[in-house]
Amino acid sequence: MTIAVGDSLPQVNFMTVTGDGHQSVATDVIFAGRKVVLFGIPGAFTPTCSKNHLPGFLSNIDAIKAKGVDSIVCVTVNDIHVVDAWSRHAGTSGKIVMLSDGDGNFARAIGLNKSMSGMGERVRRFSMIVDNGVVRKLNVEDKPGVNVSGADTILGQL
């Protein structure tokens, strides 16, 4: 079943990059008591993710946070080493929290997992507004590209 507006995010552990290295972090640590913009991308370093989806959030950080958002979080089904390299390459450190859902547990738990030819299981491209762990807005792409899940959509929903 796909997660819907009004649902709580499932409890899973992610890997993230911190100043002290790689660290496991639970859903509730990221989302409890906070307003968060979460977006999912099929793969680090992939063309649409790197050229269209992530840059939109990077360039709109101030505008998004000005609307009361505590943090912007990106999740992908890639291992933490790939996420770390992509974060450094894209310049997200201290701006966007980058999460590795390396085994795809989160993607499956929210029903947004997808098998992609030659890439294995990934998360579908999406964005959502999460308030205290509860989904308030959800935007899932149903065709290639960033059509409904980009930063401009989120800004209009905040």
Side-chain angles (χ1 to χ4, degrees), residues 128-151:
M128 60 176 73
I129 299 170
V130 181
D131 193 359
N132 195 29
V134 177
V135 178
R136 298 298 180 205
K137 297 288 182 182
L138 176 63
N139 313 294
V140 180
E141 297 291 350
D142 61 359
K143 59 185 177 183
V146 180
N147 306 293
V148 299
S149 65

Side-chain angles (χ1 to χ4, degrees), residues 37-40 48 52-53 57 112 124-129 137-157:
V37 167
L38 172 65
F39 67 104
T48 302
N52 302 104
H53 210 182
F57 286 97
L112 291 177
R124 290 180 58 193
R125 186 178 311 284
F126 73 89
S127 65
M128 60 176 73
I129 299 170
K137 297 288 182 182
L138 176 63
N139 313 294
V140 180
E141 297 291 350
D142 61 359
K143 59 185 177 183
V146 180
N147 306 293
V148 299
S149 65
D152 290 340
T153 298
I154 288 292
L155 277 166
Q157 294 173 328

Side-chain angles (χ1 to χ4, degrees), residues 53-113:
H53 210 182
L54 179 63
F57 286 97
L58 270 172
S59 64
N60 284 289
I61 287 171
D62 292 338
I64 291 170
K65 288 193 172 183
K67 296 201 176 226
V69 171
D70 296 302
S71 64
I72 301 170
V73 177
C74 176
V75 64
T76 183
V77 180
N78 287 112
D79 70 72
I80 189 60
H81 302 288
V82 171
V83 173
D84 185 12
W86 191 47
S87 175
R88 283 186 277 113
H89 177 78
T92 65
S93 182
K95 300 173 185 172
I96 295 178
V97 177
M98 304 296 279
L99 299 177
S100 165
D101 181 26
D103 293 329
N105 293 331
F106 181 74
R108 282 189 298 280
I110 64 172
L112 291 177
N113 57 313

Side-chain angles (χ1 to χ4, degrees), residues 12-16 23-27 29-30 99:
V12 299
N13 287 317
F14 303 95
M15 291 298 292
T16 191
Q23 182 178 48
S24 179
V25 62
T27 306
V29 171
I30 300 165
L99 299 177

